[in-house]
C-alpha cells in the first residue's frame, strides 16, 4: 500500500486555511484536511523572533501525491517560506488507510 502521510502547514487565518483545504480536496491531493483552532506561533525569521496568529492544517495524503500536494500548497500559500512537513503514518486502521489511498487516487470519482 502507498505510504500514508500527514502533512502539516499553517495559514495566517481560518478563511485561507479553509480555502486551501477545499483546493486540496478538489484536486484529490488529500483525503481529509483538519483545519485546527488558531494558535500563536513563535519563530525566528531573519534573525528576529516573531509572533503570529496562525491556523494549522493536518492534511492526510499519500507519498505518491506528496510532490503535487507540495506544489499546490506553495502555489496557494501567502507566506514567503511556508512550513510544509510530512510525517509518515507507520500504523493505522486498515480500512481508513485504504479509504485514504482511494480518495487520493488522481482518477477517483471525486476528481
Amino acid at each position: 500500500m502507498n505510504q500514508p502521510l500527514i502533512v502539516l502547514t499553517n495559514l495566517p487565518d481560518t478563511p485561507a486555511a479553509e480555502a486551501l483545504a477545499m483546493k486540496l480536496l478538489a484536486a484529490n491531493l488529500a483525503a481529509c484536511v483538519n483545519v485546527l483552532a488558531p494558535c500563536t506561533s513563535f519563530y525566528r525569521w531573519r534573525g528576529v523572533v516573531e509572533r503570529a496568529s496562525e491556523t494549522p492544517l493536518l492534511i492526510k495524503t499519500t507519498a505518491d501525491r506528496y510532490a503535487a500536494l507540495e506544489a499546490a500548497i506553495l502555489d496557494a500559500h501567502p507566506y514567503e517560506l511556508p512550513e510544509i512537513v510530512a510525517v509518515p503514518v507507520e500504523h493505522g486502521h486498515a480500512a481508513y488507510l485504504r479509504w485514504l489511498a482511494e480518495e487520493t487516487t488522481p482518477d477517483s470519482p471525486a476528481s
Side-chain angles (χ1 to χ4, degrees):
M1 179 184 291
N2 190 4
Q3 174 71 55
L5 301 174
I6 297 175
V7 179
L8 312 167
T9 194
N10 290 294
L11 279 287
D13 55 43
T14 300
E18 290 176 353
L20 179 58
M22 295 305 291
K23 176 180 180 174
L24 299 176
L25 290 167
N28 293 93
L29 295 172
C32 175
V33 180
N34 299 116
V35 177
L36 303 179
C39 67
T40 302
S41 296
F42 293 86
Y43 54 93
R44 185 177 309 281
W45 179 244
R46 297 185 173 157
V48 177
V49 174
E50 302 281 348
R51 175 187 173 151
S53 177
E54 297 184 299
T55 301
L57 295 182
L58 299 179
I59 304 162
K60 283 63 159 246
T61 192
T62 61
D64 284 351
R65 299 298 276 158
Y66 178 79
L69 173 83
E70 181 181 273
I73 292 171
L74 289 171
D75 180 60
H77 210 290
Y79 293 172
E80 180 180 345
L81 181 62
E83 172 189 13
I84 306 172
V85 178
V87 180
V89 175
E90 295 296 325
H91 304 283
H93 180 53
Y96 178 84
L97 297 179
R98 274 193 304 276
W99 168 81
L100 191 157
E102 291 167 3
E103 290 299 317
T104 55
T105 301
D107 59 354
S108 75
S111 50

